[in-house]
Amino acid sequence: MGKTRSLNNVIITGSTGMVGEGVLIQCLNNPEIDSILVINRKPCGYVHAKLKEIVHQDFFDFKAIEDELKGYNACFFCLGISSVGVDNETYYRMTYSLTMHVADTLVKLNDNMTFCYVSGSGTDINGRLNWQKVKGKTENELTKLPFKQVYHFRPGFIKPIRKQKFAHNFYKYINWMFPIGRKFFPNGFCKMTELGDAMINTLYYQSERRILEGKDIIKLGKEFS
């Protein structure tokens, strides 16, 4: 499949977290991305000619910034919380309800938008664990929205980009495992660069609704390189 160049203006959420920051870095470095809007509760600390940042506290109320959310053809949704130490009601609100509110808002404001959602390896609406079910429900409901296309990314172990500011500290001590894991469990190990590139490459499809596991992310990340 050939690449058709068009104007690519993307919104990224969660850029003060490891995944969102990594996706932001790949978008900043990719000449195919023309402009980037990041929406955070605190500044991400990046400055670039094609980057605009909105610091906004309430992701359940975008009325004050709705006009600034128009004119984008993609959202790379990397915002999320861990289920560890969080009660089920809070996790549901911050995972399902928040994601759906953002998605509902963006789909009304932008025609022909691609929505990429980072759920995670093991997501399963019929799973045993609460987080699996909640993220599975979120995936299912996002797929029903009238976006141009919807992709659900299910990475496992992600190798961060060197010198990421928001990478979890424990990666410093376990990165040595990556080559071994990649060799024996390739579906569960991908690089942050591959994840970011895969999201960017979704923009070159016309109408898709897909779930991407580790191998799929790696493949799509190389699709147009």
Side-chain angles (χ1 to χ4, degrees):
M1 176 181 173
K3 180 190 289 188
T4 302
R5 180 70 171 100
S6 59
L7 199 64
N8 290 320
N9 303 314
V10 306
I11 294 173
I12 302 174
T13 65
S15 62
T16 56
M18 188 182 84
V19 175
E21 180 192 18
V23 172
L24 172 60
I25 291 170
Q26 290 306 101
C27 288
L28 289 174
N29 291 334
N30 193 313
E32 301 289 321
I33 301 299
D34 298 285
S35 71
I36 305 162
L37 171 65
V38 295
I39 312 170
N40 299 310
R41 294 188 179 93
K42 60 182 180 181
C44 67
Y46 284 83
V47 177
H48 194 281
K50 63 182 179 181
L51 176 63
K52 177 182 178 180
E53 180 172 38
I54 296 176
V55 176
H56 185 77
Q57 298 301 317
D58 189 356
F59 276 61
F60 289 95
D61 185 359
F62 279 164
K63 290 186 180 66
I65 62 170
E66 276 193 359
D67 286 344
E68 298 182 73
L69 305 181
K70 298 176 181 178
Y72 292 88
N73 65 315
C75 175
F76 299 154
F77 194 93
C78 308
L79 183 65
I81 64 169
S82 170
S83 62
V84 178
V86 177
D87 64 83
N88 288 352
E89 182 179 351
T90 299
Y91 186 75
Y92 185 90
R93 173 176 165 79
M94 300 306 295
T95 301
Y96 173 77
S97 301
L98 185 149
T99 304
M100 294 306 301
H101 177 76
V102 174
D104 284 335
T105 301
L106 293 179
V107 79
K108 292 173 184 176
L109 297 175
N110 298 282
D111 295 328
N112 298 316
M113 175 175 263
T114 292
F115 194 93
C116 293
Y117 174 60
V118 179
S119 53
S121 179
T123 294
D124 183 354
I125 196 170
N126 298 312
R128 181 175 60 87
L129 302 176
N130 179 65
W131 75 264
Q132 294 177 302
K133 297 175 183 178
V134 174
K135 288 204 168 184
K137 176 180 172 66
T138 307
E139 286 186 345
N140 286 359
E141 295 304 311
L142 286 172
T143 300
K144 297 175 185 178
L145 294 179
F147 286 109
K148 174 187 174 183
Q149 48 188 6
V150 179
Y151 288 83
H152 304 301
F153 284 73
R154 295 181 176 181
F157 184 106
I158 307 171
K159 183 179 181 180
I161 298 169
R162 189 178 180 186
K163 296 185 178 180
Q164 274 196 246
K165 295 187 293 186
F166 302 116
H168 303 300
N169 286 331
F170 63 80
Y171 278 94
K172 298 176 183 178
Y173 307 103
I174 62 175
N175 267 338
W176 63 270
M177 296 171 54
F178 185 83
I180 301 171
R182 179 77 162 231
K183 180 177 180 180
F184 293 103
F185 306 100
N187 206 41
F189 288 74
C190 71
K191 299 176 183 177
M192 187 65 72
T193 52
E194 294 167 335
L195 178 59
D197 289 345
M199 284 197 179
I200 293 168
N201 285 341
T202 64
L203 302 178
Y204 302 109
Y205 289 89
Q206 296 304 311
S207 181
E208 296 279 355
R209 271 157 170 70
R210 294 168 56 186
I211 292 173
L212 302 175
E213 304 284 355
K215 288 181 180 178
D216 306 311
I217 294 169
I218 294 167
K219 181 180 178 182
L220 184 55
K222 299 175 181 177
E223 188 81 10
F224 300 104
S225 59

